[in-house]
Amino acid sequence: MTQELIGIHHVTAMTNDAERNYKFITNILGMRLVKKTVNQDDIHTYHTFFADDFGTPGTDLTFFDFPNNPKGINGTNSISRIGLRVPNDEALNYYLNRFEEYNVKHEGIQDLFGKKVLPFEEEDGQTYQLISDENNTGVAPGHAWKNGPVPEEFAINGLGPIEITVSYFEDFKQLMQVIYNMKLVIDEEDVAVLEQGEGGNGGQLILRRNEVGPVGQQGYGQVHHVSFRVADHEAIKAWEAKYNELGIRHSGWVDRFFFEALYTRIGHILIELSTDGPGFMGDEPYETLGESLSLPPFLENKRAEIESEIRPFDTSREH
């Protein structure tokens, strides 16, 4: 079916320091920087893409670096936690020791819906959790970064369940099923799990109810949006037509060069749909992905201006 969602495509968060964030995501978490580019809607700010070894769809964790952005506030009506997949329970033990070694704030290994997870925080307050793929089925993981600092058998290999917290829990849960055809697999009073595509850790959304807490505010240390995967141009145009049919306001089709995109807001939550292609290797070879500033063709004529305004930082690696 053209409109079938395949799984999570990427998650985009906001950082207060692109360079510090780069070092954390690559050197400590062991994810590969596959693209260092600019925010296409604000071209004097960085947009960095971290993923698996090849930049496979469903493995992208991306960051905007907005100068003078205030610190975000944790709260309801927000994307409240980013999930990252690891191969098995043993990998969580590896990362637990690694987090101790690098003084990463964490909450220890826990059980969540019958799976082992390890919640942790970045220095700017961004919240994550590693989730074990032990006995997991569904959306396939990516491929661990071969030349990264974390051994391949333990390394992060994709995005895990995205957690969303809202005050209008029942309404949001229904909209995910009606609009996106998500399947309700766990339904408790204050938490639900919905699945898309083949399901499993790479296709899940954890929805939490919070009707009393403060409303989250965007800023660094917060998630900007989540994107779900669709197959191709035909699929994303079909979604555009579906949004029109349902009377849902949206951005219209957008060509992001690395993929095609379509944005809408459901309540407070910005949801993007993105195509699986063209991908990140159209303008850089595998060996040097992310090492230099990559610009889509329509911004190439502004390269000198952009490079004069954004603070350069070194992302080259020894081969």
Side-chain angles (χ1 to χ4, degrees), residues 23-225:
K23 289 174 179 173
F24 178 77
I25 303 292
T26 55
N27 297 344
I28 298 177
L29 295 189
M31 295 179 74
R32 186 178 188 191
L33 179 69
V34 296
K35 199 61 57 183
K36 178 169 66 174
T37 185
V38 293
N39 179 351
Q40 293 178 16
D41 299 321
D42 183 2
I43 63 172
H44 302 120
T45 60
Y46 277 115
H47 192 182
T48 47
F49 291 77
F50 302 89
D52 72 348
D53 203 38
F54 306 103
T56 308
T59 70
D60 303 345
L61 174 58
T62 97
F63 292 88
F64 291 142
D65 178 26
F66 294 128
N68 308 315
N69 200 16
K71 182 172 172 56
I73 297 173
N74 293 330
T76 192
N77 300 339
S78 68
I79 297 172
S80 43
R81 195 175 289 274
I82 297 167
L84 299 167
R85 299 168 70 177
V86 294
N88 47 43
D89 293 355
E90 193 183 347
L92 291 182
N93 290 320
Y94 173 87
Y95 273 100
L96 182 67
N97 292 329
R98 192 170 182 82
F99 290 167
E100 289 289 329
E101 180 187 346
Y102 286 98
N103 295 314
V104 175
K105 189 175 175 185
H106 66 83
E107 297 174 33
I109 296 171
Q110 305 174 9
D111 281 300
L112 181 68
F113 310 124
K115 295 176 182 180
K116 298 285 186 190
V117 296
L118 174 55
F120 67 98
E121 269 186 41
E122 194 174 342
E123 196 177 305
D124 61 7
Q126 188 72 62
T127 54
Y128 305 84
Q129 68 187 358
L130 298 177
I131 186 163
S132 168
D133 269 354
E134 189 124 348
N135 305 319
N136 180 63
T137 56
V139 176
H143 309 274
W145 184 17
K146 287 188 182 65
N147 297 313
V150 175
E152 279 184 72
E153 67 266 28
F154 299 136
I156 291 166
N157 56 18
L159 292 174
I162 185 74
E163 181 184 283
I164 295 175
T165 301
V166 290
S167 57
Y168 36 91
F169 179 80
E170 296 298 339
D171 288 345
F172 196 91
K173 183 169 62 176
Q174 187 176 14
L175 288 169
M176 291 301 101
Q177 294 172 83
V178 171
I179 300 170
Y180 297 107
N181 199 30
M182 290 190 189
K183 204 165 52 181
L184 194 59
V185 291
I186 294 171
D187 190 16
E188 298 175 4
E189 187 178 353
D190 294 324
V191 64
V193 177
L194 297 113
E195 284 191 337
Q196 53 185 298
E198 295 177 1
N201 287 341
Q204 285 185 346
L205 186 160
I206 298 170
L207 184 64
R208 295 191 182 277
R209 184 200 304 264
N210 180 353
E211 297 173 356
V212 296
V215 173
Q217 288 186 26
Q218 292 266 288
Y220 72 79
Q222 296 292 311
V223 176
H224 190 271
H225 65 268

Side-chain angles (χ1 to χ4, degrees), residues 230-299:
V230 298
D232 51 25
H233 178 73
E234 183 188 0
I236 208 162
K237 294 303 282 186
W239 271 101
E240 191 175 22
K242 181 174 182 175
Y243 282 164
N244 289 338
E245 193 181 308
L246 293 173
I248 295 172
R249 291 178 62 186
H250 59 83
S251 63
W253 174 85
V254 183
D255 183 3
R256 293 297 191 200
F257 182 59
F258 308 113
F259 46 83
E260 300 170 39
L262 179 66
Y263 302 83
T264 192
R265 200 173 283 279
I266 305 297
H268 294 73
I269 309 302
L270 183 58
I271 293 176
E272 177 182 347
L273 302 178
S274 306
T275 58
D276 271 1
F280 296 107
M281 289 204 275
D283 65 337
E284 289 183 297
Y286 164 83
E287 291 76 14
T288 56
L289 282 178
E291 293 197 10
S292 55
L293 183 67
S294 165
L295 296 176
F298 64 89
L299 289 179

